[in-house]
Structure formats: C-alpha cells, structure tokens
Amino acid sequence: MNVPAHVHLLDRWLSEDVPHGPAVQARVRPGDIVQSGDLPAGLAPLLDPEGRVRRAARGARPVPVREAASAVRGALLARGGTASWRGAALAARLCEEILPEAHEAMLVTMIDPVTGEPVEDEVHADLRWASWPATVRISVVPRTTPAGRRDPACDFAGCSGAVRTAASESGPAEARLRAVCAGNVLADLLGCDGPAAFSIGWEPHGIAPGTWPDHAAVRAWWDTTSWRERYVDDYLDLDYDYGAGGWMSSTHLVASGEDPGDDLPGEGCDALGDHARPATGPWVMGDELRFMNSAVFLDEVEAFCGACRDQTGAGDLADALLGEILVRPLERVGGPERRMLVWADADETGEFWRDSAGEIDVYGDARRLLIVGPTEALYMVFKGEAGI
C-alpha cells in the first residue's frame, strides 16, 4: 500500500493548494490479475463515488515503467496540479522513487460508457510488481465535488458504496488517514524496513469535562481503551528463525525448545507511570509508559524533526510530512497552549525516537507515545525495522 499512501496524501495536498487542479487516485487489485481481452478488469477509476461520472477501459498499451511515471507527472504539471512546493515534492517522490520499483506498466485509454466517446484529458497508468501479485492503477483525472460526507478511509480503499461518517467523526477520520499516509511516506524516506512504521490513533477520549487533567481519571479511561490491549501486538512479533533454530523476538533469540512466552513483557508493562515518581535510568522493553514533562517532550519533537530533515535529506518535504504526523495533531489535542499530559517509552534524557547518536533509530524496538488533552487523545507507535 506504499503507492496508494503516497497518492492519497498527494491528492489531499493538491485539493488544498490547487482547488481547480486535477485529482490523483490509486486503486489496488490484489491477487491474480483478471483479464478482459487485453485489459485488466476491476480497476475503473473512482472519479465520482456517487456514480455521476463513469469510465470504461477501451484499450491498453504496454510501456516502460518510467514512461508511465512520466505520463502521470506530466498530467499533474499540465493541469497545474503541482503548483505548490509540497505537491511538487511529493509528486517527484512518487514518480522518481516509487514507480520505478514496478516491473511492468501499461497506459490505459478510457471512454465514457454513456456516450461511447473517448476521454482525452486523463491519464491512467497500470503498474505491476514482480514481488507481489497485484496491480495498482494511478489515475490523474478532473476533480469533482463530492456529494455528502464520505468516509475518507473508504475513499482510500476504493469502496464501491457511499459509506458516510457523522459530522463529528469526519474531521478526525480524515486527519488520522492523512497522518498514517504521511507516516508511511516518512518511513520510506528514512529507510524503515516495513510498511506504515508509524501507527497513529487519534480520537475523543470521553473523559468528563472538568475532570481533565486528573491523573486518576486519565488512568481509568486508559484501562478501557483498545490501545492498552494492543501492547503485546505493538511490541513483540515472534517469528521462527530457521537458521538459528529458535524463536526470534525484537529483543533477543530464544533457543529452540524454550517457551517463547517467557519473552513477553511483564505484568504492569502497559500501565501509565506515576507523574509524581519519574523513572530514572534508561527505558527498556517491558517498562511501563513513563510520564514526560510536556516541555521536555516538545524539545524532543523539535529535535526529532531536525533529525528527520538531516537523515532523509528531504528538507521541506520532511517538514510537511511531520506537520501531518505531529504538528497539527499536537495543536489539535493540546490547543495553542499545548495543554496535554504525555506518557512515552522515553529515556531519562527525554529521547523518544532517537538513538544515542541523535539519529532516528530505524532498527530499534517499537516506542509508544500517549498524549491526552482536554477532549482528545493521540496514541502513536513508531516501529522501525519491523513496521506493523
């Protein structure tokens, strides 16, 4: 889903920066490719989820992958879609870094099935990978105004129906999806070995108004969340290592014949640490979430952003991605005054994402971050090597 994540975020940036520019969409067909004559079936672009605009494939022409990438980028440029610097940077990233990984490409021509007339001002590129059985279609099409409030995750997945969200959920749902897509792009830039190395949850917490920031109320709420229940899944992925003859966890090798359950975190590892008793010494796997001073945490966020810029070499693009992942969510959760309680798997120095050299630790154990504001909470897991 790396390509759709890039495409979805690019489309959202274009819609904000160039409202009259094109839309760009990605549709994925997993499994074996179903052919209809010489055309792959089941990948019609989602021009209009309400069904007011339809397309049907008329023909397909095999082309080199780079030609398909150039056609996509050229369509964006020709229609003014990448007039913003962040759109241009992400479009270049998509075309120059992601698309050439495909091993086969086709350019598909479309007709309007109602009139039978060919559609000349759109680009539809089908890409296939040798490493996994699926086809991705990237379409650059005119932007339509959606009727109603669709679930953004349904748009991302290409649902055929018009799935709706409540007014109160639409904004947070869109923000969560954008943050996950941005995390996917940033993880790719950092060289993390795994998809969606940033796992992000973001929702209203329901703690009674006026109760926050009472720590007892926050702990009572935390005990009811699915986030707490996900601790083991977020931390330990046990896989059999045939070469070593044992089970490999993210911490150490368990010899063959031993119970891999002995390697699970201990009791209390999913609890929130006491704010009155800050931990001393470095954090290790299995420790509880530590309470962090918000000023120390914000210093760490600033250092993390700087390390991302240096390590990726992406500069402004890294800043834009971090805005989606951290800056705007923190502003929403904590407000302009940054009113928030922070727990994290942080060392005594306050370092959360970075290693001892100050670089992003893309091969380290997963790290958790919980931020609880007056009305909403943010839960993030950064998993470097393993992904999620």
Side-chain angles (χ1 to χ4, degrees):
M1 300 303 292
N2 202 12
V3 169
H6 282 67
V7 168
H8 183 84
L9 185 60
L10 174 59
D11 180 69
R12 293 305 188 258
W13 285 356
L14 294 179
S15 69
E16 293 172 350
D17 300 343
V18 192
H20 300 295
V24 57
Q25 304 169 355
R27 302 290 303 277
V28 179
R29 183 184 178 90
D32 295 333
I33 304 303
V34 178
Q35 297 287 130
S36 177
D38 293 329
L39 299 175
L43 282 170
L46 200 68
L47 267 70
D48 176 14
E50 307 298 327
R52 295 170 298 179
V53 180
R54 299 181 182 179
R55 294 289 182 264
R58 182 184 66 173
R61 175 170 59 90
V63 296
V65 173
R66 284 201 169 273
E67 181 177 335
S70 296
V72 169
R73 191 174 183 184
L76 292 169
L77 292 170
R79 298 179 63 90
T82 53
S84 69
W85 63 265
R86 63 176 184 173
L90 188 55
R93 169 72 190 168
L94 173 69
C95 294
E96 299 300 327
E97 300 291 338
I98 304 301
L99 301 191
E101 295 180 6
H103 82 288
E104 185 179 2
M106 290 190 299
L107 291 177
V108 181
T109 55
M110 293 285 177
I111 61 171
D112 183 327
V114 176
T115 65
E117 294 296 320
V119 180
E120 303 292 348
D121 60 346
E122 299 174 0
V123 169
H124 305 273
D126 285 5
L127 304 166
R128 299 178 186 175
W129 276 254
S131 56
W132 50 286
T135 295
V136 178
R137 174 169 293 170
I138 299 178
S139 299
V140 182
V141 297
R143 187 172 299 280
T144 60
T145 302
R149 188 180 293 106
R150 282 178 53 85
D151 186 335
C154 191
D155 277 347
F156 178 81
C159 301
S160 58
V163 179
R164 309 289 183 180
T165 57
S168 60
E169 286 295 319
S170 180
E174 170 66 15
R176 283 194 298 268
L177 180 57
R178 287 175 61 144
V180 169
C181 289
N184 189 293
V185 178
L186 183 60
D188 193 60
L189 284 168
L190 288 170
C192 298
D193 185 15
F198 292 88
S199 170
I200 301 166
W202 182 6
E203 62 187 40
H205 49 57
I207 298 174
T211 305
W212 186 95
D214 181 81
H215 287 250
V218 173
R219 286 188 174 83
W221 161 78
W222 172 250
D223 288 343
T224 67
T225 66
S226 61
W227 294 343
R228 177 173 182 171
E229 296 175 358
R230 284 173 41 192
Y231 176 83
V232 172
D233 291 337
D234 284 339
Y235 269 76
L236 295 179
D237 296 312
L238 295 176
D239 299 299
Y240 191 76
D241 188 311
Y242 292 96
W247 291 92
M248 181 69 79
S249 77
S250 57
T251 50
H252 64 274
L253 185 68
V254 181
S256 181
E258 292 185 21
D259 181 3
D262 294 340
D263 194 41
L264 296 179
E267 184 177 355
C269 62
D270 53 356
L272 301 183
D274 190 344
H275 68 287
R277 293 184 299 171
T280 58
W283 174 88
V284 295
M285 175 88 71
D287 281 356
E288 63 187 8
L289 278 158
R290 294 180 172 182
F291 183 78
M292 283 184 73
N293 178 281
S294 58
V296 173
F297 169 68
L298 292 173
D299 287 343
E300 170 63 6
V301 169
E302 184 176 348
F304 173 68
C305 294
C308 282
R309 287 191 294 270
D310 294 342
Q311 207 160 322
T312 62
D316 291 342
L317 178 57
D319 285 340
L321 296 170
L322 289 162
E324 299 281 354
I325 301 167
L326 279 174
V327 177
R328 275 192 276 185
L330 290 179
E331 288 177 350
R332 175 162 177 156
V333 170
E337 302 86 5
R338 299 296 194 272
R339 299 174 63 216
M340 53 192 183
L341 304 176
V342 181
W343 282 267
D345 295 332
D347 297 334
E348 76 279 7
T349 59
E351 293 179 350
F352 176 65
W353 289 283
R354 297 172 295 144
D355 59 20
S356 58
E359 296 181 346
I360 308 303
D361 188 3
V362 299
Y363 300 110
D365 296 323
R367 309 297 293 269
R368 296 168 298 168
L369 169 65
L370 174 68
I371 298 176
V372 184
T375 61
E376 294 183 333
L378 173 72
Y379 178 68
M380 179 184 294
V381 178
F382 173 66
K383 301 185 73 172
E385 186 176 15
I388 59 169

